[in-house]
Amino acid sequence: MRHTIGEILQTIRHCCYQDDLRGFKHDLMMFAIPDWYYFNLEKSQAYYLPTEKEDLLMRFFALEPARMAQFRTADDLPQAVNEALLDLVKKHAWEFRRMGLPWPDSAQVAKRLGKQPEDPTATFRYADLLRFLRVTILQKPVVLLADYFGLPPLIYWQMETAQVPVNAEIIAWLKEVLNTDDLRRYTHATDLKTAVDQAYDGGFVLEEP
């Protein structure tokens, strides 16, 4: 059995939006998809669209592009769509839970481990700078910074506790955020908070990479 693009799109829209056409059209506008174009696709008897268009439509519904192939051959299309949406809800629920998972205080762990700075004459380590920015300036959880840098949370947290070296990408990020080519201004500061306050301009430092 194969389902047309029109069947698939209609089924997904009904499952996601029910009869809320106003909300649906608003979301189409946010994706720069003309509503007339979309509704014409719902009438389509074609089985395939160009890959980039199928991918865009799946992303619009927050579904993985690979789902389109599953929907195309599903024995029960509404059931397949509902299962995909349920998986999406579970994924988002886990992501919210993951964001809230408590991590051991990296400052306390670093203090207990007693690791020495990269430079013996320094007062603070790169790990201290990273942790200070996350906790004091950004006020973000470990998981968010780990995701931002494309790292497993445990690896990122180990960087904050100086158990593993801070990588070159993060060192470059520290320099950018702190407006310097030489981090010794901060690693050798007597008061890290004052030094950072003088450099940080309140800009948004977690822009899309």
Side-chain angles (χ1 to χ4, degrees):
M1 176 182 293
R2 288 202 301 173
H3 300 286
T4 65
I5 291 295
E7 290 178 282
I8 293 169
L9 293 179
Q10 284 185 49
T11 303
I12 300 175
R13 176 172 62 83
H14 285 309
C15 288
C16 289
Y17 289 87
Q18 302 297 319
D19 296 323
D20 182 13
L21 285 180
R22 181 177 180 181
F24 178 67
K25 289 181 179 180
H26 174 270
D27 289 350
L28 284 174
M29 182 178 65
M30 297 299 290
F31 265 67
I33 301 175
D35 54 14
W36 62 265
Y37 173 76
Y38 173 85
F39 285 114
N40 276 340
L41 289 177
E42 281 201 357
K43 300 173 184 176
S44 172
Q45 297 300 306
Y47 290 104
Y48 296 91
L49 291 174
T51 301
E52 65 274 11
K53 291 185 178 180
E54 289 190 358
D55 289 354
L56 172 63
L57 291 166
M58 288 296 97
R59 287 198 302 272
F60 169 76
F61 288 112
L63 294 168
E64 293 292 330
R67 291 284 188 182
M68 180 64 86
Q70 298 174 16
F71 296 153
R72 217 177 329 257
T73 58
D75 291 333
D76 185 329
L77 181 57
Q79 180 180 341
V81 170
N82 279 317
E83 287 176 355
L85 294 175
L86 181 58
D87 287 345
L88 184 64
V89 170
K90 289 178 179 177
K91 177 184 176 182
H92 284 175
W94 162 241
E95 287 297 326
F96 282 124
R97 178 174 177 273
R98 180 171 169 262
M99 291 295 288
L101 287 175
W103 282 81
D105 187 313
S106 52
Q108 292 300 318
V109 173
K111 182 178 180 180
R112 187 175 72 248
L113 291 174
K115 299 283 186 179
Q116 293 300 312
E118 295 82 357
D119 180 345
T121 66
T123 308
F124 301 102
R125 298 159 294 195
Y126 294 148
D128 299 319
L129 302 185
L130 182 60
R131 181 172 56 252
F132 182 87
L133 286 173
R134 180 181 67 81
V135 174
T136 306
I137 303 296
L138 300 175
Q139 299 180 8
K140 301 295 184 182
V142 163
V143 170
L144 191 147
L145 265 291
D147 284 349
Y148 178 74
F149 291 118
L151 295 170
L154 178 59
I155 297 299
Y156 171 84
W157 182 79
Q158 287 177 323
M159 287 186 186
E160 275 201 6
T161 57
Q163 295 181 64
V164 299
V166 174
N167 67 30
E169 178 190 358
I170 295 180
I171 290 174
W173 179 80
L174 288 170
K175 289 179 179 179
E176 181 180 358
V177 172
L178 295 172
N179 299 314
T180 186
D181 292 325
D182 186 355
L183 289 174
R184 286 179 297 179
R185 173 181 174 185
Y186 302 97
T187 58
H188 291 67
T190 56
D191 184 337
L192 182 58
K193 183 179 186 304
T194 298
V196 171
D197 284 348
Q198 290 174 348
Y200 180 68
D201 62 3
F204 185 66
V205 297
L206 286 184
E207 296 174 352
E208 290 296 323

